[in-house]
Amino acid sequence: MQMPAAFADKPLIATEAVPACPVCGSEASQQFASGYDYELLTCRNEWFFVQCDQCSHVRLDPRPAVDTLKVIYPPTYYSYNYEEKISPVAVMGKQMMDAAKMKGILKNLDKLPESFVDIGCGNGRFLRAMERHGLNRENLYGLELDERITASLSAEGFKAYDRRVEDCTEIADNSIDLATIFHVIEHVDDPGSVVRKVAGWLKPGGVFAIETPNFESLDARKFKTTFWGGYHIPRHWHVFSPATLRKLVEDNGLTVVDTQYHTGHSFWMYSYQHLFNFGKSPKPRLAKWFDPFNSLPVLIGFTAFDKLRSDLRYKTSAMLMLAQKN
Ligand SMILES: [Zn+2]
């Protein structure tokens, strides 16, 4: 599609090809979607998602070269400081949804875990949540690629490391009861190697909970060609469906025990925001109403809508798959 004018003065960044599907290895694929960095406008590249002919996994190809990561993840990237950017009401709502999410995970374990790792632990909110469930800080591990965050968590007594899963040697095999990775696996270069590594860390019977966008959701279908917020172009390198995520975890040593669906309110809002900013007849003033950080009434509306849909057993765009080590 034609480049929107807002991207004209942005840099063109280096890319690398991803010839083979990381889920099944096939090199046959079809174009699935294309678009620009509508959210952060970091570069003027047009990006393409392709779908594997064999297993239907969707990947970004080509994707940003490794030495451009500091361009596509600017220092203001919201994952690092979202609580400072959203309203106190939204923070409270998020805390309630986090607690419900953890409860839904823990009900699948035979007993309360004694050891826990959160991959992409941010400010450590899930480590603290598990501490409230009675775990000791020396058994609470967090991985986050920001040294300032891991230094401050380590100073508090948590086991926090600024490493990628693949490079982390501090966690022993067969030592972890519960591992979580919320909205991170879609960002990594090789999701299979992440699952294999975590499967090694788990004790037999241990559970790995993976939350990631689902391209078989209502919002994903409605905005499929370019504007779906779940693409997070060009930072999401993989987009899964329940079937492709199941194949990934089961091919790498785990067994799926449950799949849950949470609210994809941010994806709904970004989808409309991108449509109103960059669609055929732009409506920038309307787009402002769909900013997830700055439009509480719309946020509450989409959260309620998706909560109802998930209660009615519809598949939303935020799927949470639980897989167990035998
Ligand atoms: Zn494939």
Side-chain angles (χ1 to χ4, degrees):
M1 65 183 277
Q2 205 189 341
M3 184 172 67
F7 293 88
D9 62 346
K10 308 297 175 190
L12 190 69
I13 65 170
T15 63
E16 62 185 27
V18 189
C21 170
V23 174
C24 77
S26 167
E27 294 193 359
S29 64
Q30 314 276 333
Q31 190 177 318
F32 185 80
S34 67
Y36 295 84
D37 184 354
Y38 301 119
E39 215 176 300
L40 302 179
L41 291 89
T42 59
C43 56
R44 68 183 154 97
N45 302 55
E46 182 178 14
W47 299 97
F48 298 88
F49 284 102
V50 300
Q51 183 166 38
C52 172
D53 283 351
Q54 193 160 308
C55 76
S56 83
H57 178 63
V58 172
R59 69 182 189 273
L60 194 68
D61 178 27
R63 67 189 180 199
V66 172
D67 61 4
T68 68
L69 293 184
K70 55 189 177 303
V71 178
I72 64 166
Y73 293 102
T76 51
Y77 189 59
Y78 57 77
S79 294
Y80 299 133
N81 61 348
Y82 78 94
E83 281 185 354
E84 295 155 25
K85 293 177 72 177
I86 60 178
S87 83
V89 178
V91 171
M92 213 162 70
K94 178 113 180 82
Q95 284 167 352
M96 283 167 61
M97 289 194 294
D98 284 351
K101 179 156 77 180
M102 208 36 119
K103 211 172 140 192
I105 293 171
L106 292 176
K107 75 169 195 239
N108 281 272
L109 279 77
D110 300 332
K111 57 181 177 65
L112 267 179
E114 290 166 2
S115 50
F116 170 68
V117 55
D118 187 23
I119 299 155
C121 67
N123 60 11
R125 64 188 202 277
F126 286 105
L127 304 183
R128 292 174 213 285
M130 294 309 290
E131 188 178 28
R132 288 192 290 274
H133 280 286
L135 275 75
N136 297 320
R137 289 188 180 184
E138 64 263 32
N139 296 320
L140 289 168
Y141 296 84
L143 267 55
E144 179 59 63
L145 297 178
D146 185 326
E147 192 191 14
R148 292 162 304 177
I149 289 176
T150 53
S152 112
L153 288 170
S154 298
E156 290 183 64
F158 295 104
K159 298 275 184 67
Y161 307 107
D162 61 329
R163 309 248 192 297
R164 304 187 316 156
V165 170
E166 303 92 307
D167 305 328
C168 179
T169 54
E170 285 84 353
I171 301 176
D173 277 357
N174 298 301
S175 71
I176 297 290
D177 289 311
L178 175 63
T180 53
I181 185 166
F182 300 136
H183 293 284
V184 172
I185 199 153
E186 61 275 12
H187 292 257
V188 309
D189 59 347
D190 181 12
S193 66
V194 171
V195 176
R196 268 196 307 281
K197 181 95 179 193
V198 174
W201 290 344
L202 289 177
K203 295 177 191 168
V207 167
F208 188 19
I210 305 170
E211 189 175 42
T212 189
N214 165 26
F215 71 73
E216 286 183 354
S217 56
L218 181 63
D219 45 324
R221 282 195 289 268
K222 184 171 164 55
F223 295 99
K224 174 180 183 285
T225 52
T226 189
F227 292 129
W228 183 42
Y231 291 142
H232 197 38
I233 302 170
R235 285 162 293 274
H236 285 180
W237 293 359
H238 306 279
V239 195
F240 294 93
S241 68
T244 61
L245 186 60
R246 173 184 287 267
K247 178 169 170 52
L248 180 83
V249 300
E250 298 203 332
D251 286 353
N252 287 286
L254 300 172
T255 305
V256 174
V257 290
D258 194 16
T259 307
Q260 303 168 6
Y261 295 90
H262 290 275
T263 63
H265 46 276
S266 303
F267 296 156
W268 277 108
M269 293 179 76
Y270 278 123
S271 303
Y272 278 104
Q273 190 184 46
H274 300 341
L275 173 70
F276 293 136
N277 274 329
F278 302 105
K280 283 203 182 76
S281 42
K283 299 177 180 62
R285 285 176 60 188
L286 192 55
K288 286 201 174 63
W289 282 94
F290 291 87
D291 179 352
F293 292 113
N294 219 347
S295 185
L296 194 57
V298 180
L299 178 73
I300 290 170
F302 277 117
T303 305
F305 175 66
D306 248 17
K307 174 80 173 69
L308 175 69
R309 294 184 62 253
S310 113
D311 288 348
L312 294 171
R313 301 276 176 261
Y314 284 99
K315 293 174 183 172
T316 64
S317 57
M319 66 175 157
L320 176 65
M321 193 168 276
L322 279 75
Q324 193 166 38
K325 182 167 171 178
N326 297 323

